[in-house]
Amino acid sequence: MYGDAFIMIIITNTNQRRGKSPAIVLLLTSLLSFIILISIPAAVDADPTKKKINRCPLRPSHTNNNNNIHRPPLILGHRGASFHIPEHTLQSYRLALELGADYIEPDLVATKDNVLIAVHDVDLNVTTNVHTYNNGEFGDRARQSEGNGNKWGYYVNDFTWIEIQQLRVKQRVTSGARYDGYDYLFQIPSFTQIVDLLHDWNTRELPLIGRPSKTGGVTGLYVELKKSYYFQQDGNISLADLFLDELAQHPKASELLFDHVTLCEGLRYDEYRVPPLVLQSFEGDVLEYLRNKFKERWMDFVEEDAILASGVVNVTGEEDDEVDHPWIPPLVLLVSESKCRQESFWFDVESLHISGLGPNKNCLLPSSSAMESNDTVAIARAKHEAREWVAKAHSFRLAVHPYTIKLEKEAGGVPQLFSSAEEELRYYYCELKIDGIFSENIAIAQIVGAEGCDAEEAAPVVGEPTVCIKEERNLWLFGVAFLAIGAFLASIVSTYVTFYCKKETDTNRPLPLPEVDTSLELVPDEEDEII
């Protein structure tokens, strides 16, 4: 209100100097204040990048919400529920869905006839019966590949999709901790079959059974394009283009993965919804290529009329992916142990248009030698560096999804620092505050997340609350709004008082004095002379 008083002082002083009534000036001031007042909402929303987030962010900002949502980190079903059933099979993905995973994660590779299938290794001999099938029918396919380090193997891009369907999958881990009764029963699925499975689950089956443990949303697809450089070098296949083509041609992909431009709009503060599609790769240039291609081919994935009707498309020329290109899925850079320790790592990250990091969990653990020798100083230092690493990623608004939780106490399983996978999960959840975890056992990740980090809370607060919100608006505009309101009210009151006082003055004005004849000579009396 000090601003209003200052305006009134200026107006009053100006009017007194000029000898004019302040009524007209006050009316003009009132009108100006009213115009400013009604223009504030338009000014706040004038910048489309501040209007709204049109896609669900992988790690939303908390600037407009002070309510922390107590929700465990996201659970990413690593190759399905691969602890229980052989990896990358429809049965493994289905079990992960039933156990409540937030995402299922297929690794996509290409066949000889350009069909995308889900296999982790380009060498089929690692997890299938390709070597022994039909008494060695494919024995002559074994060869070395320069694109794979000159290793011998049965390379997937030497087989057609029809041939792939004849093979059967086995458990990767053979330590005895996993049940092998399902070995060689299930087939390798195609990407099309995986999309069909997820679509049926989300649209037909999930509504029938519900998911009370969820705070909102349905299961998403977390896709890795596997070794794009290999397929380009060995088979002259662009894995990214092949993925985009299959995605555009699938009749259910648009509804399942892209009809979500207003998916986050209108959610309550305690609701959460995962982005329906996330793409990951170890190759940053592949992620950038995908981003640019999604910008070019957006009409292949979404209906133009729906986009225009929702007001998403920005016609101002100022580009922002979350507003102008909400159909670009969140992109996640996978990070090897050697990569995360390079001095140039964060400079490389900053140059990419990504939404998250998927580090090898060894990036967040003490060295093997420190754990073996129980070097408490080195272990404490390594934990501190891990917390700083996650905090650094969060400062870039990047989600952190480490890989992978396994129950076995073997290479790649539970580290020596922990007695069990549960203890390892509590370290990631509660000490490091990660945002999601790749796990081969969905149930363990669910249980630890539900237990929370201490007795007082139901689940850990994972950095920023996982809600879809609007961007923060400029606070100075609200200050101007309050100033305009004050000036508007003050102008009305001042105008009323001015007219009222003028009326009273006109009514009570004294009669004029009689005119004095200045031609008469005035004779001073004695009192005048004394004064």
Side-chain angles (χ1 to χ4, degrees), residues 223-248:
V223 173
E224 179 183 354
L225 299 184
K226 204 71 181 177
K227 293 188 176 180
S228 297
Y229 64 88
Y230 163 79
F231 287 97
Q232 192 65 56
Q233 180 177 347
D234 194 87
N236 195 27
I237 298 172
S238 173
L239 208 58
D241 286 325
L242 185 58
F243 171 75
L244 292 170
D245 290 341
E246 286 206 14
L247 205 59

Side-chain angles (χ1 to χ4, degrees), residues 243-263:
F243 171 75
L244 292 170
D245 290 341
E246 286 206 14
L247 205 59
Q249 295 166 8
H250 197 292
K252 299 175 183 177
S254 179
E255 175 190 352
L256 177 66
L257 304 174
F258 294 100
D259 286 355
H260 64 286
V261 293
T262 56
L263 200 60

Side-chain angles (χ1 to χ4, degrees), residues 90-354:
L90 292 178
Q91 292 75 14
S92 181
Y93 297 137
R94 168 72 192 215
L95 182 57
L97 295 173
E98 293 180 0
L99 292 174
D102 293 286
Y103 284 99
I104 56 174
E105 186 241 2
D107 297 328
L108 298 184
V109 297
T111 65
K112 183 178 182 179
D113 50 347
N114 291 334
V115 175
L116 286 177
I117 63 173
V119 176
H120 179 266
D121 299 277
V122 294
D123 179 8
L124 293 172
N125 197 41
V126 177
T127 55
T128 75
N129 62 339
V130 63
H131 179 66
T132 59
Y133 173 75
N134 198 20
N135 296 319
E137 178 180 336
F138 298 127
D140 60 345
R141 304 284 182 93
R143 64 178 177 89
Q144 288 179 297
S145 173
E146 184 178 351
N148 196 39
N150 289 319
K151 297 178 182 178
W152 279 88
Y154 293 86
Y155 289 99
V156 63
N157 52 307
D158 292 336
F159 293 77
T160 66
W161 166 233
I162 293 178
E163 292 172 333
I164 291 292
Q165 292 179 82
Q166 300 175 42
L167 305 179
R168 296 296 181 268
V169 182
K170 65 176 182 178
Q171 270 285 8
R172 172 186 296 271
V173 179
T174 58
S175 62
R178 303 191 181 194
Y179 179 64
D180 59 3
Y182 298 118
D183 283 3
Y184 306 120
L185 294 180
F186 306 129
Q187 296 174 294
I188 296 173
S190 67
F191 177 57
T192 297
Q193 292 173 330
I194 297 170
V195 173
D196 289 339
L197 171 71
L198 185 59
H199 182 271
D200 289 345
W201 172 261
N202 284 341
T203 60
R204 184 173 61 86
E205 299 174 37
L206 187 58
L208 298 177
I209 63 175
R211 185 180 288 183
S213 62
K214 296 293 177 183
T215 57
V218 294
T219 307
L221 196 61
Y222 207 115
V223 173
E224 179 183 354
L225 299 184
K226 204 71 181 177
K227 293 188 176 180
S228 297
Y229 64 88
Y230 163 79
F231 287 97
Q232 192 65 56
Q233 180 177 347
D234 194 87
N236 195 27
I237 298 172
S238 173
L239 208 58
D241 286 325
L242 185 58
F243 171 75
L244 292 170
D245 290 341
E246 286 206 14
L247 205 59
Q249 295 166 8
H250 197 292
K252 299 175 183 177
S254 179
E255 175 190 352
L256 177 66
L257 304 174
F258 294 100
D259 286 355
H260 64 286
V261 293
T262 56
L263 200 60
C264 290
E265 190 175 2
L267 293 183
R268 299 192 309 268
Y269 80 92
D270 60 343
E271 288 183 318
Y272 176 77
R273 195 182 296 274
V274 300
L277 174 64
V278 178
L279 297 179
Q280 57 175 334
S281 176
F282 283 95
E283 302 160 74
D285 57 340
V286 171
L287 297 177
E288 289 295 299
Y289 181 81
L290 284 168
R291 174 179 175 268
N292 292 327
K293 283 297 182 180
F294 271 111
K295 288 167 61 177
E296 293 177 8
R297 301 181 55 178
W298 68 273
M299 284 188 290
D300 291 341
F301 312 110
V302 293
E303 294 292 336
E304 183 177 8
D305 292 342
I307 292 295
L308 294 175
S310 67
V312 169
V313 175
N314 172 24
V315 295
T316 65
E318 295 183 9
E319 186 176 68
D320 185 288
D321 281 354
E322 289 185 337
V323 173
D324 302 313
H325 312 292
W327 45 86
I328 300 178
L331 306 174
V332 174
L333 178 67
L334 294 172
V335 186
S336 65
E337 182 179 1
S338 60
K339 178 69 174 178
C340 69
R341 305 185 190 282
Q342 294 177 2
E343 292 184 2
S344 62
F345 173 71
W346 291 110
F347 294 100
D348 297 337
V349 167
E350 196 170 9
S351 67
L352 298 174
H353 298 84
I354 57 176

